[in-house]
Amino acid sequence: MTVSPAAVELQEPLLIGRGTHRLCYQHPRDNSRCIKVLSRRPPRRDQLRAVQRELDMYRRLQQRQIDWSMLARYHGPVETTRGEGQVYELIRDVDGQVARTLEDWLRDTPEALDKAALLTALRQLRRYLMHYRVITTTLHARNMVWQRREDAPPRPVWW
Ligand SMILES: Nc1ncnc2c1ncn2[C@@H]1O[C@H](COP(=O)(O)OP(=O)(O)O)[C@@H](O)[C@H]1O
Ligand SMILES: [Mg+2]
């Protein structure tokens, strides 16, 4: 008989952000990953549908073996103290900080954004998504980070 591993404990200090449907925590055992859990319990039906739609998209993209340069990787489900969670790659900047969403940049420090670089990068993201035939309605500034890198311009990483 297999014993299921203990549920991963998600504590408030690990909270990174809140989305429309989910809370995003840093993974307590792997700082290159994050875990997303539904914020409402019981969840509403539309929340379950939105998450399912995203997981379906990830499954298709994994089958197509895309390159994950502009999309946060998905690492499967995990049992947590806040119910079932999904594990993703946690996007960090070159200095190790969790990358800020494009929405955060636009709201808090718009003057620090290189607008030309942003425009170029967003066009690149559009090409990338078209190349992999991704059709989505969730391309919002709060669904992507603007990742600062070493020796390369920042890039958007979407999820
Ligand atoms: N892969 C990631 N790397 C860094 N931060 C993330 C990542 N995914 C989500 N976040 C943070 O968590 C917040 C909520 O996550 P999100 O997946 O957009 O939730 P929802 O599914 O409810 O829309 C984001 O706005 C962002 O601040
Ligand atoms: Mg979101």
PDB file of all heavy atoms in Angstrom, residues 130-142:
ATOM      1  N   MET A 130       1.113  32.725 -31.091  1.00  0.00           N
ATOM      2  CA  MET A 130       0.573  32.325 -32.386  1.00  0.00           C
ATOM      3  C   MET A 130       1.322  31.110 -32.919  1.00  0.00           C
ATOM      4  O   MET A 130       0.724  30.190 -33.466  1.00  0.00           O
ATOM      5  CB  MET A 130       0.651  33.490 -33.382  1.00  0.00           C
ATOM      6  CG  MET A 130      -0.443  34.514 -33.120  1.00  0.00           C
ATOM      7  SD  MET A 130      -0.291  36.001 -34.123  1.00  0.00           S
ATOM      8  CE  MET A 130      -0.510  35.340 -35.753  1.00  0.00           C
ATOM      9  N   HIS A 131       2.635  31.119 -32.723  1.00  0.00           N
ATOM     10  CA  HIS A 131       3.454  30.008 -33.185  1.00  0.00           C
ATOM     11  C   HIS A 131       2.984  28.682 -32.569  1.00  0.00           C
ATOM     12  O   HIS A 131       2.924  27.653 -33.240  1.00  0.00           O
ATOM     13  CB  HIS A 131       4.919  30.260 -32.838  1.00  0.00           C
ATOM     14  CG  HIS A 131       5.836  29.152 -33.243  1.00  0.00           C
ATOM     15  ND1 HIS A 131       6.228  28.948 -34.552  1.00  0.00           N
ATOM     16  CD2 HIS A 131       6.413  28.159 -32.520  1.00  0.00           C
ATOM     17  CE1 HIS A 131       7.016  27.903 -34.610  1.00  0.00           C
ATOM     18  NE2 HIS A 131       7.153  27.387 -33.394  1.00  0.00           N
ATOM     19  N   TYR A 132       2.661  28.737 -31.279  1.00  0.00           N
ATOM     20  CA  TYR A 132       2.214  27.518 -30.603  1.00  0.00           C
ATOM     21  C   TYR A 132       0.687  27.365 -30.625  1.00  0.00           C
ATOM     22  O   TYR A 132       0.131  26.543 -29.916  1.00  0.00           O
ATOM     23  CB  TYR A 132       2.759  27.474 -29.172  1.00  0.00           C
ATOM     24  CG  TYR A 132       4.257  27.252 -29.158  1.00  0.00           C
ATOM     25  CD1 TYR A 132       5.120  28.223 -28.657  1.00  0.00           C
ATOM     26  CD2 TYR A 132       4.795  26.082 -29.678  1.00  0.00           C
ATOM     27  CE1 TYR A 132       6.489  28.024 -28.664  1.00  0.00           C
ATOM     28  CE2 TYR A 132       6.158  25.874 -29.694  1.00  0.00           C
ATOM     29  CZ  TYR A 132       7.000  26.848 -29.184  1.00  0.00           C
ATOM     30  OH  TYR A 132       8.346  26.648 -29.207  1.00  0.00           O
ATOM     31  N   ARG A 133       0.042  28.211 -31.429  1.00  0.00           N
ATOM     32  CA  ARG A 133      -1.406  28.150 -31.638  1.00  0.00           C
ATOM     33  C   ARG A 133      -2.168  28.203 -30.306  1.00  0.00           C
ATOM     34  O   ARG A 133      -3.080  27.410 -30.058  1.00  0.00           O
ATOM     35  CB  ARG A 133      -1.778  26.891 -32.433  1.00  0.00           C
ATOM     36  CG  ARG A 133      -0.996  26.802 -33.746  1.00  0.00           C
ATOM     37  CD  ARG A 133      -1.584  25.809 -34.715  1.00  0.00           C
ATOM     38  NE  ARG A 133      -1.718  24.443 -34.205  1.00  0.00           N
ATOM     39  CZ  ARG A 133      -0.709  23.565 -34.115  1.00  0.00           C
ATOM     40  NH1 ARG A 133       0.500  23.926 -34.487  1.00  0.00           N
ATOM     41  NH2 ARG A 133      -0.915  22.361 -33.662  1.00  0.00           N
ATOM     42  N   VAL A 134      -1.758  29.120 -29.465  1.00  0.00           N
ATOM     43  CA  VAL A 134      -2.452  29.322 -28.187  1.00  0.00           C
ATOM     44  C   VAL A 134      -3.520  30.384 -28.380  1.00  0.00           C
ATOM     45  O   VAL A 134      -3.217  31.498 -28.805  1.00  0.00           O
ATOM     46  CB  VAL A 134      -1.479  29.792 -27.095  1.00  0.00           C
ATOM     47  CG1 VAL A 134      -2.237  30.093 -25.804  1.00  0.00           C
ATOM     48  CG2 VAL A 134      -0.404  28.749 -26.848  1.00  0.00           C
ATOM     49  N   ILE A 135      -4.760  30.017 -28.101  1.00  0.00           N
ATOM     50  CA  ILE A 135      -5.845  30.988 -28.167  1.00  0.00           C
ATOM     51  C   ILE A 135      -6.340  31.203 -26.751  1.00  0.00           C
ATOM     52  O   ILE A 135      -6.668  30.254 -26.050  1.00  0.00           O
ATOM     53  CB  ILE A 135      -6.983  30.482 -29.077  1.00  0.00           C
ATOM     54  CG1 ILE A 135      -6.454  30.404 -30.505  1.00  0.00           C
ATOM     55  CG2 ILE A 135      -8.192  31.402 -28.986  1.00  0.00           C
ATOM     56  CD1 ILE A 135      -7.396  29.717 -31.466  1.00  0.00           C
ATOM     57  N   THR A 136      -6.345  32.454 -26.313  1.00  0.00           N
ATOM     58  CA  THR A 136      -6.655  32.712 -24.910  1.00  0.00           C
ATOM     59  C   THR A 136      -7.383  34.033 -24.745  1.00  0.00           C
ATOM     60  O   THR A 136      -7.296  34.912 -25.607  1.00  0.00           O
ATOM     61  CB  THR A 136      -5.359  32.762 -24.073  1.00  0.00           C
ATOM     62  OG1 THR A 136      -5.703  33.092 -22.726  1.00  0.00           O
ATOM     63  CG2 THR A 136      -4.398  33.821 -24.595  1.00  0.00           C
ATOM     64  N   THR A 137      -8.105  34.148 -23.659  1.00  0.00           N
ATOM     65  CA  THR A 137      -8.742  35.428 -23.328  1.00  0.00           C
ATOM     66  C   THR A 137      -8.124  35.992 -22.057  1.00  0.00           C
ATOM     67  O   THR A 137      -8.665  36.918 -21.470  1.00  0.00           O
ATOM     68  CB  THR A 137     -10.257  35.233 -23.083  1.00  0.00           C
ATOM     69  OG1 THR A 137     -10.416  34.280 -22.025  1.00  0.00           O
ATOM     70  CG2 THR A 137     -10.967  34.741 -24.323  1.00  0.00           C
ATOM     71  N   THR A 138      -7.018  35.427 -21.610  1.00  0.00           N
ATOM     72  CA  THR A 138      -6.478  35.829 -20.304  1.00  0.00           C
ATOM     73  C   THR A 138      -5.116  36.520 -20.409  1.00  0.00           C
ATOM     74  O   THR A 138      -4.310  36.456 -19.498  1.00  0.00           O
ATOM     75  CB  THR A 138      -6.353  34.615 -19.364  1.00  0.00           C
ATOM     76  OG1 THR A 138      -5.385  33.713 -19.901  1.00  0.00           O
ATOM     77  CG2 THR A 138      -7.669  33.901 -19.193  1.00  0.00           C
ATOM     78  N   LEU A 139      -4.901  37.214 -21.544  1.00  0.00           N
ATOM     79  CA  LEU A 139      -3.621  37.920 -21.707  1.00  0.00           C
ATOM     80  C   LEU A 139      -3.675  39.284 -21.021  1.00  0.00           C
ATOM     81  O   LEU A 139      -3.634  40.317 -21.691  1.00  0.00           O
ATOM     82  CB  LEU A 139      -3.344  38.130 -23.195  1.00  0.00           C
ATOM     83  CG  LEU A 139      -2.423  37.163 -23.900  1.00  0.00           C
ATOM     84  CD1 LEU A 139      -2.157  37.670 -25.316  1.00  0.00           C
ATOM     85  CD2 LEU A 139      -1.114  36.972 -23.158  1.00  0.00           C
ATOM     86  N   HIS A 140      -3.777  39.285 -19.712  1.00  0.00           N
ATOM     87  CA  HIS A 140      -3.859  40.542 -18.971  1.00  0.00           C
ATOM     88  C   HIS A 140      -2.508  40.873 -18.350  1.00  0.00           C
ATOM     89  O   HIS A 140      -1.702  39.978 -18.092  1.00  0.00           O
ATOM     90  CB  HIS A 140      -4.866  40.442 -17.826  1.00  0.00           C
ATOM     91  CG  HIS A 140      -6.198  39.947 -18.243  1.00  0.00           C
ATOM     92  ND1 HIS A 140      -6.969  40.609 -19.167  1.00  0.00           N
ATOM     93  CD2 HIS A 140      -6.892  38.855 -17.876  1.00  0.00           C
ATOM     94  CE1 HIS A 140      -8.103  39.943 -19.342  1.00  0.00           C
ATOM     95  NE2 HIS A 140      -8.080  38.866 -18.572  1.00  0.00           N
ATOM     96  N   ALA A 141      -2.336  42.160 -18.025  1.00  0.00           N
ATOM     97  CA  ALA A 141      -1.082  42.594 -17.388  1.00  0.00           C
ATOM     98  C   ALA A 141      -0.911  41.947 -16.016  1.00  0.00           C
ATOM     99  O   ALA A 141       0.197  41.851 -15.498  1.00  0.00           O
ATOM    100  CB  ALA A 141      -1.067  44.116 -17.253  1.00  0.00           C
ATOM    101  N   ARG A 142      -2.005  41.477 -15.417  1.00  0.00           N
ATOM    102  CA  ARG A 142      -1.879  40.830 -14.103  1.00  0.00           C
ATOM    103  C   ARG A 142      -1.647  39.326 -14.233  1.00  0.00           C
ATOM    104  O   ARG A 142      -1.505  38.637 -13.226  1.00  0.00           O
ATOM    105  CB  ARG A 142      -3.116  41.098 -13.242  1.00  0.00           C
ATOM    106  CG  ARG A 142      -4.401  40.597 -13.830  1.00  0.00           C
ATOM    107  CD  ARG A 142      -5.563  40.767 -12.856  1.00  0.00           C
ATOM    108  NE  ARG A 142      -6.788  40.249 -13.430  1.00  0.00           N
ATOM    109  CZ  ARG A 142      -7.579  40.924 -14.244  1.00  0.00           C
ATOM    110  NH1 ARG A 142      -7.302  42.166 -14.569  1.00  0.00           N
ATOM    111  NH2 ARG A 142      -8.678  40.369 -14.728  1.00  0.00           N
TER     112      ARG A 142
END
